[in-house]
Amino acid sequence: MPILAMDTATMVSSVAVADNKKLLAELIVENKLTHSETLLPHVEQVLNMAGVTKDDLEAVAVSLGPGSFTGLRIGLAAAKAIAYGLNIPIIGIPTMEGLAWHFPVPGIRVAGFIDAQKGNVYTAHYKWNGSSFDEVKSIEVVSLEDAVNICSELDEPVMAVGDMVSKKLTRLDNLPENLIIPPKHTMMPRAANIAMAGLKKLAAGNVGSVMDMEPIYIRKSEAEVLWEKRQEKLTSSLSQPADTFPGGEGNGSIK
């Protein structure tokens, strides 16, 4: 039976249907429309293209991040709703593990470079073990320069994938000789990759819970950071002595 897969971790919106034999259908779009506008229509379209009904689905696989906070929430909410409504398993795939599935090749390391804002990247490294990918460097947030330096210290070829490769990495001078920049279509997210990884996890019984599955954020959102700064400023002002406020003691107030 087939599974439905989706990836909304970046500006790319991708939905696919696959089974153990082949990829049945896939849709990849990168435009100015939001995932909230396109995701569910794309799911319906891909199911129709594959000749699959919702009742045929065995599971739902979804990219968990890191990536765009809004995109991740939309994708996971849709995946949970579908899994819950159809009473089928949900499978979470780290976004960079999905990217690694572009290159199931022994002897190379696949390094993710996903935009984490403010000159930083989310990065993690994976290696093909013959049937799936092993995480050999866990996900973290570092500067783009540090992510490149980490790769330069390795004595093996490193394939760079993710949106920051074309955004920033290709513009840098003196890239390490072991760092490989692949064609653009092989460095961006694909739901087909999420499906392939999801099928492996499903066969192994490694599925998640609709109630407990959460996106992989790694860092706080900009909104959370700003809110915390405002709260710190408010707390600081409220803790000041009364005579530091206009109208308080020492400022000519009437008692």
Side-chain angles (χ1 to χ4, degrees):
M1 293 178 68
I3 71 170
L4 173 69
M6 56 186 73
D7 192 319
T8 58
T10 66
M11 291 294 292
V12 175
S13 176
S14 185
V15 181
V17 177
D19 61 23
N20 287 317
K21 297 179 180 179
K22 60 183 177 181
L23 174 66
L24 300 174
E26 183 182 27
L27 181 62
I28 306 172
V29 179
E30 184 176 5
N31 56 30
K32 295 181 180 180
L33 295 176
T34 64
H35 295 307
S36 60
E37 295 175 273
T38 61
L39 181 57
L40 292 181
H42 288 170
V43 168
E44 183 177 7
Q45 185 176 349
V46 167
L47 288 173
N48 289 335
M49 290 165 58
V52 171
T53 70
K54 64 181 188 299
D55 294 327
D56 295 328
L57 294 174
E58 185 177 7
V60 180
V62 61
S63 177
L64 288 180
S68 160
F69 284 43
T70 302
L72 292 173
R73 285 192 288 265
I74 292 170
L76 184 55
K80 283 185 172 185
I82 293 169
Y84 183 80
L86 298 177
N87 193 28
I88 56 177
I90 186 170
I91 306 160
I93 307 295
T95 300
M96 279 182 279
E97 181 181 342
L99 286 167
W101 276 84
H102 280 298
F103 302 101
V105 180
I108 68 168
R109 181 181 292 231
V110 183
F113 292 81
I114 294 179
D115 192 359
Q117 304 299 317
K118 299 182 179 179
N120 296 319
V121 296
Y122 300 110
T123 189
H125 294 185
Y126 292 85
K127 294 187 74 171
W128 179 248
N129 62 23
S131 62
S132 61
F133 279 89
D134 296 324
E135 184 183 75
V136 293
K137 181 173 179 52
S138 60
I139 299 171
E140 60 179 343
V141 178
V142 298
S143 70
L144 178 60
E145 181 180 358
D146 284 347
V148 172
N149 289 338
I150 291 169
C151 295
S152 71
E153 295 170 357
L154 301 170
D155 58 356
E156 59 187 334
V158 180
M159 192 73 68
V161 294
D163 57 354
M164 284 294 279
V165 178
S166 57
K167 283 182 183 178
K168 298 286 186 180
L169 195 59
T170 54
R171 303 176 188 177
L172 298 180
D173 296 325
N174 302 317
L175 289 175
E177 292 184 2
N178 68 323
L179 189 61
I180 304 168
I181 308 297
K184 186 173 182 179
H185 71 282
T186 61
M187 67 174 75
M188 300 302 289
R190 283 187 62 182
N193 293 359
I194 300 301
M196 296 303 108
L199 285 166
K200 288 288 185 180
K201 291 183 184 293
L202 180 64
N206 186 6
V207 300
S209 165
V210 169
M211 300 302 176
D212 299 334
M213 186 173 289
E214 296 289 341
I216 301 172
Y217 287 136
I218 304 299
R219 68 171 182 84
K220 295 178 180 178
S221 70
E222 192 66 21
E224 289 176 298
V225 172
L226 291 174
W227 186 86
E228 289 179 355
K229 287 182 178 178
R230 292 192 186 104
Q231 294 305 304
E232 289 174 2
K233 185 179 293 186
L234 178 62
T235 301
S236 176
S237 64
L238 291 176
S239 64
Q240 294 178 31
D243 60 4
T244 65
F245 291 95
E249 287 190 24
N251 285 281
S253 61
I254 299 175
K255 297 184 283 184

